[in-house]
Amino acid sequence: AALNPWDVMLCVSGTAIACENALVVAIICYSPALRTPMFVLVGSLATADLLAGLGLILNFVFQYVIPSETVSLLTVGFLVASFAASVSSLLAITVDRYLSLYNALTYYSERTVLCIHTMLAGAWGVSLCLGLLPVLGWNCLHDRTSCSVVRPLTKSNVTLLSASFFLIFLIMLHLYIEICKIVCRHAHQIALQQHFLTASHYVTTKKGVSTLAIILGTFGASWLPFAIYCVVGDPDYPSVYTYATLLPATYNSMINPIIYAYRNQEIQRSMWVLFCGCFQAKVSFRSRSPSDV
């Protein structure tokens, strides 16, 4: 079959995603110091995005090299599970940031570690189940009328996935609003203890709120168009609409390492050690806490 330019762009996007996130996974696995709950969550996100990138590459290869309905189901299921794990990991990171601020005194406890591992086990378990649904028969290979805008997924399948995304997005929105309130309240209390409101108080508060807005805005801008189109779209519409909304969704997995990993100074230091073999003492790093936004 003739190459579809959109498929090529998805494959290129998958390659970039896989390379970026493979580096993050390697850094976290290489550095024994990166074993805190925060980095476990970042590692989970990077692993999910790495698998999503590989899934996009495999989908392209099997679509043009080994066209098969069975292989198509496997690759689509793999992509669904990977992207679901990525979105779920983002939710887990949001919950972790909220807990690190709301329960700051008890955050570094065994209970927190157990909570993090339980969240991740649940997230990956649910994601795996969602990925298995098309393979176990929830597909439209034998009933074309039930197909959605993402073949071979059924309309009810993509509706379930979209509803799950909307729920996660609303939970993240609520938690980030609560985080903003806590950050603003803490900054205000610190300023009052100094008996006056300094300019740095407003700068710190504005920076924290802006960062949270960028995080949530990037997530929403990437996934909302595709999730909405999956609900309102019709399989008879031109496939270019599906590609045009799906491609930006993949960019979220490309941006995640920049937001959650490469900006972290502990990971930056580990990168120096990994690539240079030594750490230059003259370069100063400040360890970031889990609540840093």
Side-chain angles (χ1 to χ4, degrees):
L3 282 178
N4 186 331
W6 287 99
D7 288 329
V8 175
M9 286 189 287
L10 285 175
C11 183
V12 172
S13 177
T15 303
I17 291 170
C19 293
E20 278 186 294
N21 288 280
L23 178 58
V24 176
V25 173
I27 291 171
I28 293 178
C29 293
Y30 172 81
S31 306
L34 304 181
R35 296 292 185 269
T36 62
M38 178 182 65
F39 290 114
V40 171
L41 292 171
V42 173
S44 172
L45 175 62
T47 302
D49 287 332
L50 169 60
L51 294 176
L54 293 176
L56 290 172
I57 298 172
L58 291 175
N59 183 66
F60 176 83
V61 172
F62 289 133
Q63 182 176 354
Y64 289 97
V65 178
I66 314 175
S68 167
E69 291 185 347
T70 302
V71 174
S72 174
L73 285 178
L74 291 175
T75 54
V76 168
F78 186 80
L79 284 171
V80 169
S82 301
F83 281 119
S86 176
V87 173
S88 300
S89 295
L90 287 174
L91 175 61
I93 290 176
T94 306
V95 173
D96 175 69
R97 286 183 167 178
Y98 173 75
L99 292 177
S100 69
L101 289 170
Y102 186 76
N103 297 321
L105 296 178
T106 59
Y107 177 79
Y108 293 98
S109 64
E110 293 183 0
R111 183 178 180 181
T112 300
V113 176
L114 177 61
C115 177
I116 296 300
H117 285 97
T118 301
M119 280 197 302
L120 288 180
W124 281 91
V126 172
S127 301
L128 180 61
C129 292
L130 291 175
L132 286 174
L133 289 178
V135 181
L136 296 178
W138 204 356
N139 58 70
C140 63
L141 292 180
H142 304 293
D143 183 14
R144 298 293 179 179
T145 59
S146 64
C147 280
S148 67
V149 294
V150 185
R151 296 181 178 87
L153 300 182
T154 63
K155 296 178 182 178
S156 56
N157 195 342
V158 297
T159 300
L160 172 63
L161 294 174
S162 297
S164 301
F165 168 80
F166 292 136
L167 177 61
I168 290 177
F169 182 77
L170 290 176
I171 294 174
M172 290 178 62
L173 177 62
H174 172 72
L175 290 176
Y176 274 126
I177 291 175
E178 293 299 317
I179 290 174
C180 284
K181 292 180 180 179
I182 295 174
V183 170
C184 294
R185 185 166 60 247
H186 285 181
H188 184 72
Q189 290 173 349
I190 292 173
L192 289 179
Q193 289 175 359
Q194 299 174 351
H195 304 292
F196 59 91
L197 296 177
T198 62
S200 61
H201 161 257
Y202 295 103
V203 172
T204 302
T205 303
K206 182 179 179 180
K207 181 180 179 182
V209 174
S210 300
T211 303
L212 292 175
I214 292 173
I215 292 173
L216 192 63
T218 300
F219 177 64
S222 299
W223 277 105
L224 277 175
F226 181 66
I228 293 173
Y229 182 67
C230 284
V231 176
V232 303
D234 188 272
D236 293 330
Y237 291 170
S239 60
V240 65
Y241 297 158
T242 302
Y243 284 113
T245 53
L246 175 60
L247 188 61
T250 65
Y251 292 159
N252 187 65
S253 295
M254 196 182 302
I255 299 172
N256 283 339
I258 300 174
I259 295 178
Y260 296 97
Y262 295 133
R263 290 176 61 249
N264 186 282
Q265 296 188 9
E266 291 293 336
I267 289 184
Q268 291 175 12
R269 179 167 57 186
S270 297
M271 288 178 64
W272 274 92
V273 175
L274 181 63
F275 290 110
C276 301
C278 62
F279 178 68
Q280 298 180 3
K282 65 179 180 181
V283 180
S284 174
F285 290 90
R286 178 182 65 85
S287 179
R288 295 168 60 93
S289 67
S291 60
D292 283 350
V293 294

